[in-house]
Amino acid sequence: MTTPPTPPATADEPALRADAERNRERIIDAARRLYAREGLGVSMAAVAREAGVGNATLARRFPTREDLIAAVFADRMDGYVAAVDTALADSDPWAGFAGFIHAVCAMQAADRGFADVLTMTFPAAKPLEARRTQAYNGVLELIARAKNSGHLRADFTDEDIVILLMANAGVINATGDAAPNAWQRLVGHMLRSYATPSTDPGPLPPAPTPRELYRAMVRLTRPSKN
């Protein structure tokens, strides 16, 4: 039995593929804007509206929320891995460790969605989780190097970094643009608590002003737009 020949491509197919790719990019760009501004609590319907596409079009491109999150944050997770690699390349174990903490917390501050991604897991998003695992293994090495150098407390664990990222995400989500540098104060205090008594953790960043904190507290009373 002979196999039926494949029907020839029609003139419309390249245009349809190009249109589908444009819709995909519009959806990713829209989700990136919304997640960065409002966090991962944004609904799929809100993403569709921001992108100017129908819910059905969004569902065809990204059947699940995890599919969309994986596409939006692939480059951010690459940056996370790069931050670990940069820290490991530092010849000073404490400077590498502290530099990593600053870098990853700054990444959270720059993107509220990524602040959430770093404190959550997405089992179905395998490429995203593979990059997270790669970064995690590097972080374990960073911790071991800093401890062996005598600068990082012996009782520090990798779970403490998860706690820090959760706390930092909370500060970022609470303060927003009302006190945009508050997270730096948190990180400064935490690094002081991680360092051994003989280690100089550097100067403590300035605290938010009373006006900034008041604005942040007022901001928390406003209803969510999601």
Side-chain angles (χ1 to χ4, degrees), residues 120-202:
M120 302 168 69
T121 58
F122 304 93
K126 297 191 181 302
L128 193 72
E129 292 304 313
R131 296 298 269 165
R132 190 198 304 275
T133 299
Q134 180 182 350
Y136 172 73
N137 291 333
V139 168
L140 292 180
E141 186 177 347
L142 275 176
I143 293 171
R145 289 174 68 222
K147 282 185 177 181
N148 291 338
S149 72
H151 294 298
L152 182 63
R153 290 171 52 125
D155 58 357
F156 183 88
T157 72
D158 57 287
E159 288 85 4
D160 289 319
I161 292 183
V162 177
I163 293 170
L164 170 61
L165 295 179
M166 287 179 172
N168 195 47
V171 169
I172 291 164
N173 288 334
T175 57
D177 59 1
N181 297 319
W183 67 272
Q184 296 184 25
R185 182 77 170 186
L186 169 68
V187 172
H189 276 302
M190 297 310 296
L191 284 174
R192 286 175 173 237
S193 73
Y194 302 155
T196 58
S198 61
T199 300
D200 178 10

